[in-house]
Amino acid sequence: MLKLSFRLLSCGVLLLCSLAACIPVPMTKPELYRPLADFTPQDGVYDFETKQAKFNVALDDNPNDADVRFARALLYMGVGRYASAEDDLTAAIKVAEKERGYDSERLASIYVHRGLIRWGDEKAELAINDYSRAIELDPANWEGYFHRWLAYHFQGEDEKAERDRKQGMKLEPEVFSREYVLRYDGIVLN
């Protein structure tokens, strides 16, 4: 009888330990909002160097080509060279802001990408400023609202965050409702 009780007790303790591992544990803020996680190193070094060389030649021909700078910044982001990407994005913004008739949607996208890098560098206010500028340029830019919503939330500015979430829901309801459920109903996916 004693052996049976010990086995039963051991199994019960093991079961409780297993269940305890399933309880969601709150994560720190940077782990919850990591927008650069989508940019993972891609291709081989040769492909990177070949693409980088093509962009460099294009910029030698026309250093004021905002689109080439933006494309090269995306390449840098894809291989984790965030400082170089931020430099290119900043240069692209300067050029595009001066150019008459530059596509405001594209410029908004450049601002959003620079905001992603700045958030990753823990420059929260600068990132929020970039997201805000993207929204000014293109009020239909749901990504600006999306990232500013999360940034405000993790800064503790819940009222501003909720305003952005509601506006984002109008623009892209599927993305915002899915993210809201995943992040705030106990399930956190990275």
Side-chain angles (χ1 to χ4, degrees):
M1 175 95 177
L2 188 58
K3 282 188 175 184
L4 180 61
S5 296
F6 182 73
R7 282 187 185 168
L8 215 61
L9 182 62
S10 298
C11 288
V13 169
L14 185 59
L15 179 66
L16 286 175
C17 289
S18 297
L19 289 175
C22 297
I23 297 172
V25 177
M27 300 171 116
T28 60
K29 292 176 184 178
E31 291 177 15
L32 281 172
Y33 177 51
R34 297 181 309 140
L36 292 176
D38 293 332
F39 289 92
T40 55
Q42 54 188 314
D43 301 326
V45 174
Y46 175 76
D47 290 336
F48 167 77
E49 290 173 354
T50 301
K51 291 175 184 176
Q52 182 186 30
K54 289 179 182 177
F55 290 131
N56 291 344
V57 168
L59 287 171
D60 286 343
D61 288 343
N62 182 5
N64 292 324
D65 191 333
D67 292 329
V68 173
R69 288 202 180 274
F70 183 33
R72 188 172 72 175
L74 292 176
L75 175 69
Y76 286 147
M77 288 175 78
V79 295
R81 292 187 175 182
Y82 300 121
S84 297
E86 184 176 3
D87 291 343
D88 269 353
L89 292 168
T90 300
I93 287 168
K94 287 179 182 175
V95 169
E97 291 275 359
K98 291 178 185 175
E99 188 178 314
R100 284 187 178 202
Y102 191 82
D103 183 13
S104 61
E105 289 179 22
R106 187 145 177 92
L107 183 55
S109 183
I110 296 170
Y111 271 105
V112 167
H113 282 81
R114 189 173 73 172
L116 299 177
I117 291 172
R118 287 178 166 182
W119 182 268
D121 283 345
E122 298 180 8
K123 300 173 188 171
E125 288 305 314
L126 293 175
I128 290 171
N129 290 342
D130 280 347
Y131 302 145
S132 297
R133 181 67 177 133
I135 292 166
E136 286 175 30
L137 289 165
D138 180 17
N141 185 310
W142 67 269
E143 289 179 297
Y145 284 106
F146 179 81
H147 291 293
R148 194 172 72 175
W149 160 50
L150 295 175
Y152 277 148
H153 177 73
F154 293 113
Q155 289 288 21
E157 298 187 46
D158 294 331
E159 192 173 300
K160 290 179 180 179
E162 185 59 21
R163 235 186 354 248
D164 279 351
R165 188 185 73 79
K166 285 180 180 176
Q167 184 61 35
M169 285 288 289
K170 293 176 187 174
L171 298 171
E172 197 68 39
E174 187 176 310
V175 171
F176 278 80
S177 61
R178 182 185 70 229
E179 285 296 319
Y180 188 79
V181 168
L182 292 177
R183 291 177 187 277
Y184 302 105
D185 283 352
I187 304 169
V188 178
L189 299 178
N190 287 324

